[in-house]
Amino acid sequence: MPTTYEPAEVPGWPAYAFVVRDSGRVAVSGPLLPAAEHPTRASAVDAVAAAAAGLGRPVRAEATERDGTMWHLVISPDGAVGELSVGARQGKASRKRTAPGRARRPDSGQARSAPEPVTAAPVAGAVTPEALSEAVARLDGYAAAGRAEEAETLAAQLDEHAANALGLSHPDALLVREARARITGRAGDAVGGVLLYRDVAERWHYRGAYEQAEAVADHAQALWLEIADPATAVAAGVSVVRMRNQIPGEGGSAFAAAVAHQARLEAARDAAAGALGPHRAGAR
């Protein structure tokens, strides 16, 4: 029987995508190897196995067949093909096997119309603006499809990898972090999104890219205004006011607006605390 892995046994990064074309060739994409089409399923698996060997451990792979069936595989450094347990399954439920004792490798077929699998990032030597732009677009596709939590997790992985490969303040790494901020906000973590936007805005500012800094600062401030709870908004507002002190907007208008909004939030917070009474307010 093929080896079955629990999700916790195989890290989520790196992850690979096998998509079999009508011609029977297998397209492989993901970190640690260039995107390419392989003439056979075996050669596609061997390419990913070589990447796994470089890490010294098995890696995940998602294979899509002609009928839309998806395999959630695990490729070992020696080329052995296992499967993730049902708990890690996504997409179409049906899965197929060949003869006992072997897990079936990707068969010929077409990609599904749903968003393609997202890998965390290319490796350092292959980090290109095009690759990062494609990864970000796919993350946005996941978020738009209602898979916000998954998109948020993968965005964090992509952000970390881009920062490690390029440097925290590299322009391409900043674009990735901005995308992470956007996805984090969409996932319901407005405070996290504000802090990420603020970090990006300040790094653009330090680089002398003032237009980019202003644009991202506007996103941070707009997301901050959406936070309804005064106490939570006040905590996030400390970072926004700090950011606006450096990136004040035309004529200082954005800074003035941030300070005024923070003052209103503090008043609302204090009024709410007063309504609790001295005992409960003190406990707070």
Side-chain angles (χ1 to χ4, degrees), residues 49-190:
L55 293 172
R57 62 168 174 81
V59 296
R60 299 190 187 198
E62 189 172 78
T64 306
E65 298 191 29
R66 176 168 40 222
D67 62 359
T69 301
M70 297 195 75
W71 289 72
H72 299 276
L73 306 177
V74 175
I75 310 298
S76 297
D78 62 358
V81 181
E83 295 179 271
L84 278 177
S85 66
V86 174
R89 186 170 58 209
Q90 302 166 3
K92 195 167 181 177
S94 62
R95 298 194 299 176
K96 303 178 181 179
R97 297 181 183 271
T98 52
R102 275 182 81 87
R104 185 176 179 178
R105 295 185 178 189
D107 203 355
S108 61
Q110 301 172 333
R112 299 185 307 161
S113 58
E116 294 182 9
V118 177
T119 56
V123 289
V127 172
T128 65
E130 293 79 11
L132 291 175
S133 178
E134 179 184 359
V136 167
R138 293 167 72 188
L139 286 169
D140 283 331
Y142 268 46
R147 301 164 71 174
E149 183 176 348
E150 186 175 0
E152 186 178 14
T153 298
L154 290 168
Q157 294 173 351
L158 178 62
D159 177 26
E160 180 181 359
H161 184 73
N164 289 338
L166 300 172
L168 283 170
S169 295
H170 188 281
D172 292 331
L174 292 179
L175 293 175
V176 170
R177 180 157 294 185
E178 182 180 349
R180 180 185 177 188
R182 179 172 64 251
I183 288 170
T184 298
R186 288 179 181 174
D189 182 4

